[in-house]
Amino acid sequence: MSDHKRIEPYDGAAGGWGALVSTTRALLNSRRPLANIRNLLKVNQSKGFDCPGCAWGDAAGHSVNFCENGAKAVAWESTANQVRADFFRTNKVSALRRQSDYFLEYQGRIAEPLCYNPATDAYDTISWQDAFELIGEKVKALSSPDELLLYTSGRASNEVAYLYQLFGRFVGTNNFPDCSNMCHEASGVGLGQSIGVGKGTVTLDDFEQADAIFVFGQNPGTNHPRMLHTLSQAAKKGAAIVSINNLKERGLERFDNPQDPRHMLTRRTSSISSLYLCPRLGGDMALVRGMVKQLWAWQQQGRSVFDRDFIERHTQGLDDYLRLVEQTDWSEIESQSGLSRAQIVEAAEVFAGAKRVICTWAMGITQHRHSVATVQEIVNLQLLAGHVGRSGAGLSPVRGHSNVQGNRTVGINELPSDDFLDRLEAHFERPMPRKHGLNTVESIAAMEQGTAKAFIALGGNFAAAAPDSARTEAALANCELTVHISTKLNRSHLWPGKAGLILPCLGRTEQDLQNGVPQYITVEDSFSMVHASQGMTTPNSPEQRSEVAIVAGIAAAVLGEEQLPWTALAGNYDRIRELIGQTIPGFERMNDRLSTPGGFYLDNSAARREWQTPSGKANFIGSPLPQQRLPLEYLGRPVQTLQTLRAHDQYNTTVYGLDDRYRGVYGQRMVLFINREDMADQGLQAGQKVTLQSVWFDNRERKVEGFTLVPYDIPRGNLAAYYPETNPLVPLDSVGENTGTPTSKSVGVVLIPEQETRIL
C-alpha cells in the first residue's frame, strides 16, 4: 500500500511483477507469511481449499492455481490480528462509524463471541451457550416467522447454506435475502425465461475451443484474475476476444502471467482483446441490438449467418423478435450505445465469422433497470447462430463470490420453486412455507418499517454491501435482534439492533474439526462444478466455530432437536451431504462423487439442448430499448450516470489496501473518474474536490463529499467511483425490472464543486 496519495498512470500490463510485489506485501502484512505461503500451495487444489475469493473455475493440472487477489484474500483472512471485547473499551461503536471499512477489517479476526451493550456503547464477551439462548428467546418471541430475515453471503458453503435454509423453512419463512439479489439476479431471471435454466451453459474447457469470446461488462484483471489466463490462452490459439466495457481496463488489454517464468523473465506480455468497445453505461443492450440488426441485414442479402436448422428445431419467437429489431432505428442504437454504426458492424463481423462463440458477462450487465432485457438480448444473439449447447460456445455469467451460485442451488432463494419445496416436504414429512419471501431491498424496507424484527447474517457485510447506506444502517438498528456470523469486524457490526451479537466463525483456510475429525465443505463454481474444500491451518482462536456448527447451534436453540438432529448433523458433514443428495437433483451420491479430483459437474439441460421452458423450446424474447428516466439537468447542473465499482486492492466490500494500481490511484479511495471533456464543460479541474448528489424521485437528499476528480478514458456523461463509499447514493427503490437488484451501475448524480481546489 502506498504511503501517500497520488495519481500516477500505470503503464505495465496486468499481472506480472506488479502482482508478485503486491502479493508479497500482503503475505508479510498478515503477520503469518510462512503459514500463508503454505496455504497458497493448497488454494484451488485437490485435497486443498477453495479460494475465498471469486467463483472462476479451477484449471486441472496446475500446481499453482491462484491469482494476486486470491492470495490477498487468503492473507487477509489468515491474519494473526484479533478483535476481542477489550478492543471496544477504547473504541466505542458509535465512534467506529467514522472509521473506514479498511480500518475496521484491518483490526483482525473476531476472536470470541460478542454481545452489544447499549449502556457502554461497546461489545462485551458472551459465552456461546448464552448467545444461542438469547437468539432462541428472541426468535421464539416473534409474532410471525416472517418477522425473521436470514441473509447469506456467497462465501457460505453448500453444507451450511443447505442447513440454514432448512432452519428457516422449519421455522416457517422463505425470507432469504442474499448477495445474489444484489448482483446476478438478472442472469438467473433472464436465462431462466429464455433457455429454462438460470445458469451458464459452458464449462472451462469450452473456452479452449471457442473461436470468439465476447466479454461484456466485467473487469477480470481485478475481480477474477484467473480468467485472464483463460482468455490469454484462448487468444494464443487464435480466438478473437471482443471486450465490451465502459472503462478501458488494463487486464483486458495486456496481461503478464505471473505464474509463467517465460513471461516474467522476458517481460513478454499477452494481448487480450482484438477489439475493445466502450459503450455508455447501460448501452450494451443497444450494442447487441445493433449487432443483430446487421446480422439480419446480411441474412436477407443472402449471407448465411443464422443457424436455420437450430432455430427451427429448438426455438420459438424469432419472427416477433426480428420485427422489433427492424423497428429499432440505427440512430437510437448509436445514441444509446454511444458507439458508431461502424464499430457495431465490426463486432458483428467478428461474431459472424466465428463457428463457436462464448458470450460472458458480469455486473456491468446485471445492475441496471433493464438488465433482464439485456441478458435476454445476449441470449437472442447466441440463439441466432446456434451458439448454445455446442462445444466451445454458450452463455457464461461470471459470478462474483466463491459459492454464490451454490447457495442458490441448495435452496437460498426467497422465491423457491414448488418442485423444490415439494421435495423437501416429501423427504422431511412436514409442510414447507409457500409464501414468497423478501429479497434484500424488500428486507431493508421491512426492517425500516418494523415488520421484520430479527436479522441473522451468515457472513457478508450487509450494511456496506446494500444500497442507500443511511437507510440500511438505520434499518438494522431498528431490529429487536441482529446476529452476524463473521470472520472480521465490519460496518454491519456498528449498527446493532436492541440485542446485537457477533459470532466468530472459521475461515476457508482453517482446519474444521468436529468431534476431533477433520471436516470438508463444498462449493459450486461459475461452471457448475462442485468440489471439496478443506482448510489446513490452525484456527486464529479456539473460540471460533465453523459456520455449520453455529447455524446448527442456532437451530437447536430455536427449534430443539426433535424435528431434526441439528447437533448430530453438524458433527459429521457427510450427513448433511446425504440430505442434499436425497432432496436436490444432481447431487445424488454426493459423498462418493466428491472423491474424484476436481469434483463433479451439475448437469445443465440447456447445454444439452433440452429446454425446461413451458414450450419446451428456447425463447427469443425481445424488449424495446430502455427509455431515459432521469432529467438532463438538476439543480442547474448536468445529470451524469455513475457506476460503482471495485478497486484493485478490494474484493466485494473487503478493502485490502488503498491502491488501485491498474487505474493509477495510490493511497486513496475517494476519487471520481470523469471524462476530460465533461470536466472542462463544467469548469472543473483535475484534482478538484466535489460533492456527488443523487438525482431521484423521492425527495430524499443523498450525497457524498470529498471526492477528487481524476480524468479517465470513460464515455462522456459517465462517471465511476468505488463502493462502498458511493453506496449512499444508490436509492433503495431504484431496482432492476423483475429482479429487485439495486441499479448500482446507473446512478444519476450531479457534481457540486467544493471550495478548496487542489491540482494533481
Side-chain angles (χ1 to χ4, degrees):
M1 186 180 71
S2 298
D3 295 329
H4 63 280
K5 298 178 181 180
R6 71 184 194 277
I7 303 298
E8 185 178 287
Y10 184 75
D11 296 326
W17 289 105
L20 287 182
V21 170
S22 184
T23 297
T24 302
R25 186 182 298 121
L27 293 174
L28 293 174
N29 287 341
S30 73
R31 294 175 53 204
R32 300 178 70 183
L34 294 179
N36 280 323
I37 289 171
R38 289 193 293 269
N39 275 336
L40 290 179
L41 297 177
K42 291 292 186 180
V43 174
N44 301 320
Q45 300 291 341
S46 177
K47 297 184 179 180
F49 63 90
D50 194 76
C51 178
C54 77
W56 191 251
D58 298 340
H62 289 253
S63 58
V64 177
N65 206 359
F66 63 88
C67 66
E68 174 189 351
N69 279 12
K72 289 176 183 175
V74 168
W76 193 250
E77 176 181 281
S78 185
T79 175
N81 297 339
Q82 293 187 344
V83 173
R84 293 180 175 273
D86 58 4
F87 170 81
F88 296 97
R89 292 178 193 143
T90 54
N91 295 275
K92 299 304 182 184
V93 169
S94 56
L96 286 169
R97 293 170 184 170
R98 296 191 292 271
Q99 295 287 357
S100 69
D101 294 87
Y102 171 73
F103 172 88
L104 295 174
E105 294 212 20
Y106 190 76
Q107 303 313 305
R109 295 287 298 278
I110 305 295
E112 59 185 350
L114 299 168
C115 181
Y116 181 66
N117 184 342
T120 60
D121 191 27
Y123 278 95
D124 297 330
T125 301
I126 186 173
S127 71
W128 277 105
Q129 185 61 36
D130 287 347
F132 290 144
E133 288 180 1
L134 177 61
I135 297 170
E137 172 191 330
K138 293 293 184 180
V139 173
K140 286 187 281 190
L142 297 174
S143 59
S144 164
D146 289 325
E147 292 181 343
L148 174 64
L149 302 171
L150 299 171
Y151 177 73
T152 313
S153 159
R155 191 184 67 86
S157 68
N158 290 324
E159 288 74 14
V160 73
Y162 182 82
L163 208 63
Y164 198 50
Q165 64 86 27
L166 275 186
F167 162 62
R169 292 188 168 111
F170 274 41
V171 170
T173 187
N174 284 314
N175 285 345
F176 289 102
D178 76 318
C179 58
S180 286
N181 296 149
M182 293 188 280
C183 57
H184 263 286
E185 200 70 63
S187 297
V189 173
L191 291 172
Q193 293 175 355
S194 292
I195 62 173
V197 61
K199 300 182 183 183
T201 64
V202 304
T203 66
L204 197 55
D205 290 342
D206 286 317
F207 281 84
E208 298 181 3
Q209 304 173 49
D211 300 312
I213 301 169
F214 284 72
V215 183
F216 290 90
Q218 56 183 301
N219 176 19
T222 288
N223 298 336
H224 28 265
R226 284 186 295 149
M227 183 181 184
L228 291 183
H229 173 75
T230 301
L231 293 177
S232 66
Q233 291 298 108
K236 287 179 183 177
K237 293 181 178 181
I241 311 295
V242 179
S243 294
I244 300 163
N245 196 63
N246 179 251
L247 298 173
K248 280 288 182 72
E249 302 289 12
R250 183 54 47 86
L252 289 171
E253 295 178 306
R254 290 181 286 131
F255 174 58
D256 274 345
N257 188 349
Q259 296 170 9
D260 187 335
R262 293 169 300 176
H263 277 236
M264 300 302 291
L265 293 175
T266 64
R267 297 294 181 97
R268 182 175 60 188
T269 65
S270 297
S271 295
I272 298 293
S273 303
S274 53
L275 177 63
Y276 203 131
L277 301 176
C278 293
R280 291 187 177 129
L281 284 170
D284 304 85
M285 180 180 177
L287 161 63
V288 178
R289 177 67 55 85
M291 290 175 62
V292 173
K293 192 173 182 71
Q294 184 59 52
L295 293 171
W296 176 224
W298 286 333
Q299 185 74 23
Q300 291 175 301
Q301 294 163 8
R303 181 179 176 183
S304 180
V305 293
F306 289 7
D307 187 333
R308 283 294 185 185
D309 180 66
F310 173 86
I311 291 170
E312 291 174 6
R313 293 178 57 191
H314 292 285
T315 74
Q316 67 172 12
L318 176 62
D319 291 343
D320 289 341
Y321 171 62
L322 289 179
R323 276 193 291 271
L324 183 63
V325 171
E326 290 176 336
Q327 293 165 8
T328 308
D329 293 333
W330 272 108
S331 60
E332 184 180 11
I333 290 169
E334 290 181 295
S335 174
Q336 284 207 19
S337 68
L339 301 171
S340 68
R341 182 171 178 174
Q343 289 175 301
I344 297 172
V345 169
E346 186 177 4
E349 189 67 68
V350 174
F351 184 89
K355 294 181 179 179
R356 296 170 296 238
V357 176
I358 290 174
C359 284
T360 176
W361 64 91
M363 287 186 285
I365 294 295
T366 61
Q367 289 184 322
H368 298 276
R369 180 172 174 80
H370 59 288
S371 289
V372 170
T374 303
V375 169
Q376 292 175 334
E377 196 74 14
I378 294 171
V379 176
N380 294 338
L381 174 69
Q382 290 287 76
L383 292 178
L384 286 174
H387 291 314
V388 181
R390 173 185 296 166
S391 295
L395 300 157
S396 180
V398 178
R399 313 286 178 171
H401 226 322
S402 60
N403 197 42
V404 63
Q405 183 162 304
N407 284 188
R408 186 56 60 90
T409 302
V410 300
I412 300 298
N413 191 343
E414 79 279 6
L415 304 174
S417 68
D418 287 338
D419 180 61
F420 177 82
L421 295 177
D422 289 344
R423 290 196 303 272
L424 292 184
E425 285 188 353
H427 184 84
F428 293 104
E429 299 181 339
R430 58 172 293 126
M432 295 291 159
R434 298 283 169 161
K435 177 184 175 183
H436 284 172
L438 302 178
N439 64 24
T440 294
V441 166
E442 293 165 342
S443 293
I444 296 168
M447 288 187 284
E448 189 177 52
Q449 296 159 10
T451 55
K453 298 179 180 179
F455 176 87
I456 302 177
L458 177 57
N461 183 356
F462 188 82
D468 224 334
S469 304
R471 292 181 69 180
T472 297
E473 292 162 353
L476 286 170
N478 196 42
C479 290
E480 295 294 324
L481 171 70
T482 54
V483 180
H484 297 282
I485 302 170
S486 303
T487 56
K488 285 192 166 188
L489 184 67
N490 66 49
R491 190 156 303 279
S492 299
H493 305 152
L494 309 183
W495 299 92
K498 295 179 178 63
L501 294 168
I502 309 174
L503 304 181
C505 65
L506 297 176
R508 189 71 65 78
T509 62
E510 291 159 340
Q511 188 177 50
D512 180 358
L513 293 176
Q514 301 297 327
N515 300 319
V517 179
Q519 305 292 318
Y520 67 88
I521 53 91
T522 61
V523 298
E524 178 187 348
D525 64 26
S526 285
F527 305 109
S528 299
M529 290 297 299
V530 177
H531 47 90
S533 174
Q534 187 168 14
M536 303 292 176
T537 59
T538 302
N540 174 279
S541 164
E543 284 292 295
Q544 292 159 349
R545 296 190 179 185
S546 75
E547 290 176 315
V548 170
I550 295 171
V551 168
I554 291 172
V558 174
L559 298 168
E561 302 270 10
E562 293 183 4
Q563 301 176 65
L564 202 67
W566 305 100
T567 303
L569 289 172
N572 183 349
Y573 298 177
D574 281 351
R575 297 186 63 180
I576 301 174
R577 287 186 283 272
E578 288 171 3
L579 291 178
I580 294 174
Q582 291 162 0
T583 55
I584 301 181
F587 287 89
E588 296 83 4
R589 298 185 304 102
M590 184 178 181
N591 285 313
D592 293 336
R593 294 160 70 195
L594 286 167
S595 62
T596 302
F600 62 90
Y601 175 66
L602 288 176
D603 184 55
N604 185 305
S605 56
R608 292 184 281 104
R609 295 187 171 180
E610 295 179 9
W611 319 102
Q612 304 298 319
T613 61
S615 66
K617 291 190 174 184
N619 297 310
F620 283 95
I621 302 176
S623 301
L625 295 185
Q627 299 299 307
Q628 172 69 28
R629 300 181 69 227
L630 296 173
L632 297 178
E633 288 190 354
Y634 181 70
L635 300 177
R637 303 178 187 279
V639 175
Q640 295 180 260
T641 305
L642 169 76
Q643 66 164 315
T644 71
L645 43 69
R646 300 172 185 163
H648 189 62
D649 275 357
Q650 177 179 359
Y651 193 78
N652 291 344
T653 58
T654 299
V655 179
Y656 305 128
L658 303 182
D659 294 349
D660 191 357
R661 186 170 74 248
Y662 298 151
R663 298 189 183 110
V665 177
Y666 297 90
Q668 58 190 313
R669 289 180 55 82
M670 302 290 283
V671 297
L672 179 67
F673 301 105
I674 183 171
N675 181 283
R676 284 187 180 275
E677 294 179 54
D678 285 338
M679 195 167 54
D681 285 351
Q682 297 179 58
L684 302 171
Q685 302 176 64
Q688 186 169 355
K689 300 282 188 179
V690 297
T691 292
L692 286 75
Q693 183 164 337
S694 288
V695 179
W696 195 240
F697 309 107
D698 58 4
N699 296 318
R700 292 176 182 262
E701 184 179 80
R702 298 176 178 87
K703 63 181 181 181
V704 293
E705 301 174 340
F707 279 73
T708 300
L709 293 178
V710 176
Y712 207 77
D713 187 358
I714 187 173
R716 295 206 64 180
N718 292 173
L719 305 165
Y722 304 131
Y723 77 86
E725 289 84 353
T726 48
N727 281 4
L729 299 171
V730 184
L732 188 65
D733 55 350
S734 178
V735 297
E737 293 175 333
N738 302 316
T739 66
T741 299
T743 56
S744 299
K745 296 293 187 288
S746 53
V747 184
V749 298
V750 295
L751 307 186
I752 304 171
E754 297 184 4
Q755 290 182 352
E756 180 184 358
T757 301
R758 286 188 293 179
I759 307 303
L760 296 179

